[in-house]
mmCIF file of all heavy atoms in Angstrom:
data_model
loop_
_atom_site.group_PDB
_atom_site.id
_atom_site.type_symbol
_atom_site.label_atom_id
_atom_site.label_comp_id
_atom_site.label_asym_id
_atom_site.label_seq_id
_atom_site.Cartn_x
_atom_site.Cartn_y
_atom_site.Cartn_z
ATOM 1 N N ILE A 59 34.083 -18.891 18.218
ATOM 2 C CA ILE A 59 34.302 -19.729 19.400
ATOM 3 C C ILE A 59 33.023 -20.421 19.882
ATOM 4 O O ILE A 59 33.052 -21.553 20.342
ATOM 5 C CB ILE A 59 35.014 -18.925 20.528
ATOM 6 C CG1 ILE A 59 35.719 -19.860 21.503
ATOM 7 C CG2 ILE A 59 34.089 -17.999 21.282
ATOM 8 C CD1 ILE A 59 37.051 -20.318 21.076
ATOM 9 N N ARG A 60 31.901 -19.710 19.769
ATOM 10 C CA ARG A 60 30.598 -20.303 20.102
ATOM 11 C C ARG A 60 29.612 -19.978 18.995
ATOM 12 O O ARG A 60 29.817 -19.039 18.222
ATOM 13 C CB ARG A 60 30.079 -19.730 21.435
ATOM 14 C CG ARG A 60 30.844 -20.236 22.629
ATOM 15 C CD ARG A 60 30.278 -19.724 23.927
ATOM 16 N NE ARG A 60 30.627 -18.336 24.150
ATOM 17 C CZ ARG A 60 31.791 -17.919 24.657
ATOM 18 N NH1 ARG A 60 32.723 -18.796 24.980
ATOM 19 N NH2 ARG A 60 32.028 -16.641 24.839
ATOM 20 N N TYR A 174 36.603 -29.545 22.352
ATOM 21 C CA TYR A 174 35.482 -28.611 22.175
ATOM 22 C C TYR A 174 35.829 -27.443 21.269
ATOM 23 O O TYR A 174 34.963 -26.680 20.866
ATOM 24 C CB TYR A 174 35.057 -28.047 23.549
ATOM 25 C CG TYR A 174 36.229 -27.500 24.339
ATOM 26 C CD1 TYR A 174 36.714 -26.223 24.099
ATOM 27 C CD2 TYR A 174 36.890 -28.284 25.282
ATOM 28 C CE1 TYR A 174 37.812 -25.739 24.778
ATOM 29 C CE2 TYR A 174 37.998 -27.803 25.965
ATOM 30 C CZ TYR A 174 38.439 -26.530 25.707
ATOM 31 O OH TYR A 174 39.549 -26.049 26.370
ATOM 32 N N CYS A 175 37.120 -27.255 20.945
ATOM 33 C CA CYS A 175 37.598 -25.942 20.484
ATOM 34 C C CYS A 175 37.833 -25.839 18.977
ATOM 35 O O CYS A 175 38.466 -26.694 18.362
ATOM 36 C CB CYS A 175 38.884 -25.587 21.226
ATOM 37 S SG CYS A 175 39.463 -23.935 20.849
ATOM 38 N N VAL A 177 39.478 -23.243 17.569
ATOM 39 C CA VAL A 177 40.632 -22.385 17.248
ATOM 40 C C VAL A 177 41.692 -23.058 16.354
ATOM 41 O O VAL A 177 42.168 -22.440 15.398
ATOM 42 C CB VAL A 177 41.257 -21.779 18.537
ATOM 43 C CG1 VAL A 177 42.563 -21.067 18.255
ATOM 44 C CG2 VAL A 177 40.269 -20.819 19.182
ATOM 45 N N GLN A 212 47.685 -18.182 21.873
ATOM 46 C CA GLN A 212 46.788 -19.170 22.475
ATOM 47 C C GLN A 212 47.481 -19.888 23.622
ATOM 48 O O GLN A 212 46.856 -20.261 24.606
ATOM 49 C CB GLN A 212 46.303 -20.191 21.432
ATOM 50 C CG GLN A 212 45.426 -19.598 20.349
ATOM 51 C CD GLN A 212 44.187 -18.914 20.898
ATOM 52 O OE1 GLN A 212 43.790 -19.129 22.027
ATOM 53 N NE2 GLN A 212 43.574 -18.069 20.090
ATOM 54 N N ASN A 213 48.788 -20.122 23.461
ATOM 55 C CA ASN A 213 49.601 -20.748 24.520
ATOM 56 C C ASN A 213 50.935 -20.025 24.538
ATOM 57 O O ASN A 213 51.899 -20.489 23.954
ATOM 58 C CB ASN A 213 49.862 -22.226 24.210
ATOM 59 C CG ASN A 213 48.592 -22.956 23.845
ATOM 60 O OD1 ASN A 213 47.770 -23.252 24.689
ATOM 61 N ND2 ASN A 213 48.421 -23.230 22.561
ATOM 62 N N THR A 248 47.626 -16.234 26.614
ATOM 63 C CA THR A 248 47.120 -17.083 27.666
ATOM 64 C C THR A 248 48.139 -18.185 27.975
ATOM 65 O O THR A 248 48.812 -18.661 27.065
ATOM 66 C CB THR A 248 45.831 -17.767 27.157
ATOM 67 O OG1 THR A 248 44.842 -16.767 26.886
ATOM 68 C CG2 THR A 248 45.269 -18.761 28.124
ATOM 69 N N TYR A 250 49.070 -22.026 28.987
ATOM 70 C CA TYR A 250 48.556 -23.397 29.087
ATOM 71 C C TYR A 250 49.208 -24.009 30.342
ATOM 72 O O TYR A 250 50.434 -23.996 30.465
ATOM 73 C CB TYR A 250 48.913 -24.209 27.839
ATOM 74 C CG TYR A 250 48.184 -25.539 27.789
ATOM 75 C CD1 TYR A 250 46.939 -25.632 27.168
ATOM 76 C CD2 TYR A 250 48.711 -26.674 28.392
ATOM 77 C CE1 TYR A 250 46.244 -26.833 27.141
ATOM 78 C CE2 TYR A 250 48.027 -27.879 28.374
ATOM 79 C CZ TYR A 250 46.792 -27.949 27.743
ATOM 80 O OH TYR A 250 46.107 -29.140 27.725
ATOM 81 N N PRO A 275 43.731 -20.930 32.051
ATOM 82 C CA PRO A 275 42.432 -21.598 31.960
ATOM 83 C C PRO A 275 42.486 -23.052 32.430
ATOM 84 O O PRO A 275 43.394 -23.796 32.059
ATOM 85 C CB PRO A 275 42.097 -21.519 30.473
ATOM 86 C CG PRO A 275 42.848 -20.328 29.989
ATOM 87 C CD PRO A 275 44.145 -20.362 30.764
ATOM 88 N N GLN A 277 39.294 -24.929 32.614
ATOM 89 C CA GLN A 277 38.178 -25.477 31.800
ATOM 90 C C GLN A 277 37.221 -26.370 32.577
ATOM 91 O O GLN A 277 36.022 -26.300 32.378
ATOM 92 C CB GLN A 277 38.665 -26.201 30.532
ATOM 93 C CG GLN A 277 39.669 -25.451 29.685
ATOM 94 C CD GLN A 277 39.182 -24.121 29.119
ATOM 95 O OE1 GLN A 277 38.041 -23.723 29.305
ATOM 96 N NE2 GLN A 277 40.052 -23.405 28.430
ATOM 97 N N ARG A 289 42.524 -32.077 27.592
ATOM 98 C CA ARG A 289 43.467 -31.178 28.265
ATOM 99 C C ARG A 289 44.549 -32.095 28.851
ATOM 100 O O ARG A 289 44.247 -33.187 29.316
ATOM 101 C CB ARG A 289 42.773 -30.376 29.373
ATOM 102 C CG ARG A 289 41.639 -29.484 28.893
ATOM 103 C CD ARG A 289 42.065 -28.283 28.105
ATOM 104 N NE ARG A 289 42.660 -27.221 28.893
ATOM 105 C CZ ARG A 289 43.010 -26.033 28.367
ATOM 106 N NH1 ARG A 289 42.853 -25.777 27.077
ATOM 107 N NH2 ARG A 289 43.543 -25.102 29.130
ATOM 108 N N ASP A 315 39.522 -19.829 32.824
ATOM 109 C CA ASP A 315 38.301 -20.003 32.007
ATOM 110 C C ASP A 315 37.691 -21.354 32.361
ATOM 111 O O ASP A 315 38.427 -22.317 32.612
ATOM 112 C CB ASP A 315 38.620 -20.074 30.507
ATOM 113 C CG ASP A 315 39.180 -18.789 29.934
ATOM 114 O OD1 ASP A 315 39.174 -17.765 30.620
ATOM 115 O OD2 ASP A 315 39.628 -18.825 28.760
ATOM 116 N N PHE A 316 36.356 -21.412 32.336
ATOM 117 C CA PHE A 316 35.659 -22.690 32.561
ATOM 118 C C PHE A 316 34.511 -22.848 31.578
ATOM 119 O O PHE A 316 33.905 -21.867 31.150
ATOM 120 C CB PHE A 316 35.088 -22.751 33.983
ATOM 121 C CG PHE A 316 36.146 -22.958 35.038
ATOM 122 C CD1 PHE A 316 36.649 -21.868 35.733
ATOM 123 C CD2 PHE A 316 36.638 -24.221 35.305
ATOM 124 C CE1 PHE A 316 37.640 -22.040 36.689
ATOM 125 C CE2 PHE A 316 37.627 -24.412 36.270
ATOM 126 C CZ PHE A 316 38.127 -23.313 36.957
ATOM 127 N N ILE A 317 34.217 -24.098 31.261
ATOM 128 C CA ILE A 317 33.076 -24.400 30.396
ATOM 129 C C ILE A 317 32.031 -25.141 31.234
ATOM 130 O O ILE A 317 32.370 -26.101 31.933
ATOM 131 C CB ILE A 317 33.519 -25.258 29.194
ATOM 132 C CG1 ILE A 317 34.475 -24.450 28.309
ATOM 133 C CG2 ILE A 317 32.311 -25.745 28.395
ATOM 134 C CD1 ILE A 317 35.069 -25.215 27.145
ATOM 135 N N ALA A 346 31.629 -20.021 30.108
ATOM 136 C CA ALA A 346 30.759 -20.121 28.939
ATOM 137 C C ALA A 346 30.021 -21.453 29.018
ATOM 138 O O ALA A 346 30.570 -22.432 29.527
ATOM 139 C CB ALA A 346 31.595 -20.062 27.678
ATOM 140 N N ALA A 347 28.790 -21.449 28.527
ATOM 141 C CA ALA A 347 28.070 -22.722 28.408
ATOM 142 C C ALA A 347 28.624 -23.414 27.165
ATOM 143 O O ALA A 347 28.902 -22.751 26.154
ATOM 144 C CB ALA A 347 26.584 -22.457 28.269
ATOM 145 N N TYR A 348 28.800 -24.721 27.218
ATOM 146 C CA TYR A 348 29.363 -25.451 26.082
ATOM 147 C C TYR A 348 28.526 -25.223 24.819
ATOM 148 O O TYR A 348 27.299 -25.314 24.834
ATOM 149 C CB TYR A 348 29.428 -26.956 26.397
ATOM 150 C CG TYR A 348 29.781 -27.763 25.161
ATOM 151 C CD1 TYR A 348 31.069 -27.718 24.638
ATOM 152 C CD2 TYR A 348 28.811 -28.513 24.491
ATOM 153 C CE1 TYR A 348 31.392 -28.405 23.481
ATOM 154 C CE2 TYR A 348 29.128 -29.213 23.329
ATOM 155 C CZ TYR A 348 30.423 -29.152 22.831
ATOM 156 O OH TYR A 348 30.728 -29.821 21.676
ATOM 157 N N SER A 349 29.214 -24.954 23.722
ATOM 158 C CA SER A 349 28.547 -24.758 22.437
ATOM 159 C C SER A 349 29.214 -25.679 21.412
ATOM 160 O O SER A 349 30.421 -25.597 21.208
ATOM 161 C CB SER A 349 28.710 -23.279 22.035
ATOM 162 O OG SER A 349 28.303 -23.065 20.724
ATOM 163 N N ARG A 351 30.827 -27.102 18.224
ATOM 164 C CA ARG A 351 31.414 -26.450 17.049
ATOM 165 C C ARG A 351 31.734 -27.470 15.977
ATOM 166 O O ARG A 351 32.341 -28.515 16.246
ATOM 167 C CB ARG A 351 32.706 -25.694 17.436
ATOM 168 C CG ARG A 351 32.607 -24.752 18.595
ATOM 169 C CD ARG A 351 31.474 -23.731 18.528
ATOM 170 N NE ARG A 351 31.594 -22.743 17.480
ATOM 171 C CZ ARG A 351 30.608 -22.491 16.594
ATOM 172 N NH1 ARG A 351 29.486 -23.172 16.602
ATOM 173 N NH2 ARG A 351 30.781 -21.561 15.685
HETATM 174 N N1 SAH B 8 43.949 -20.995 24.331
HETATM 175 C C1 SAH B 8 43.127 -20.773 25.437
HETATM 176 C C2 SAH B 8 41.671 -20.550 25.103
HETATM 177 C C3 SAH B 8 41.211 -19.864 23.880
HETATM 178 S S1 SAH B 8 39.491 -19.904 23.579
HETATM 179 C C4 SAH B 8 43.199 -22.015 26.353
HETATM 180 O O1 SAH B 8 43.655 -23.043 25.988
HETATM 181 O O2 SAH B 8 42.714 -21.941 27.450
HETATM 182 C C5 SAH B 8 38.863 -19.003 24.954
HETATM 183 C C6 SAH B 8 37.908 -19.754 25.835
HETATM 184 O O3 SAH B 8 36.701 -20.056 25.155
HETATM 185 C C7 SAH B 8 38.389 -21.115 26.286
HETATM 186 O O4 SAH B 8 39.255 -21.021 27.379
HETATM 187 C C8 SAH B 8 37.113 -21.854 26.627
HETATM 188 O O5 SAH B 8 36.778 -21.712 27.991
HETATM 189 C C9 SAH B 8 36.070 -21.155 25.756
HETATM 190 N N2 SAH B 8 35.583 -22.061 24.698
HETATM 191 C C10 SAH B 8 36.285 -22.549 23.673
HETATM 192 N N3 SAH B 8 35.513 -23.368 22.915
HETATM 193 C C11 SAH B 8 34.284 -23.385 23.490
HETATM 194 C C12 SAH B 8 33.058 -24.043 23.184
HETATM 195 N N4 SAH B 8 32.948 -24.851 22.154
HETATM 196 N N5 SAH B 8 31.991 -23.820 23.995
HETATM 197 C C13 SAH B 8 32.104 -22.997 25.069
HETATM 198 N N6 SAH B 8 33.243 -22.355 25.391
HETATM 199 C C14 SAH B 8 34.324 -22.537 24.622
#
Side-chain angles (χ1 to χ4, degrees):
I59 202 83
R60 288 183 285 278
Y174 51 82
C175 185
V177 171
Q212 294 302 342
N213 311 286
T248 297
Y250 191 90
Q277 311 299 358
R289 299 289 286 185
D315 294 350
F316 287 97
I317 295 176
Y348 170 72
S349 170
R351 309 308 293 128

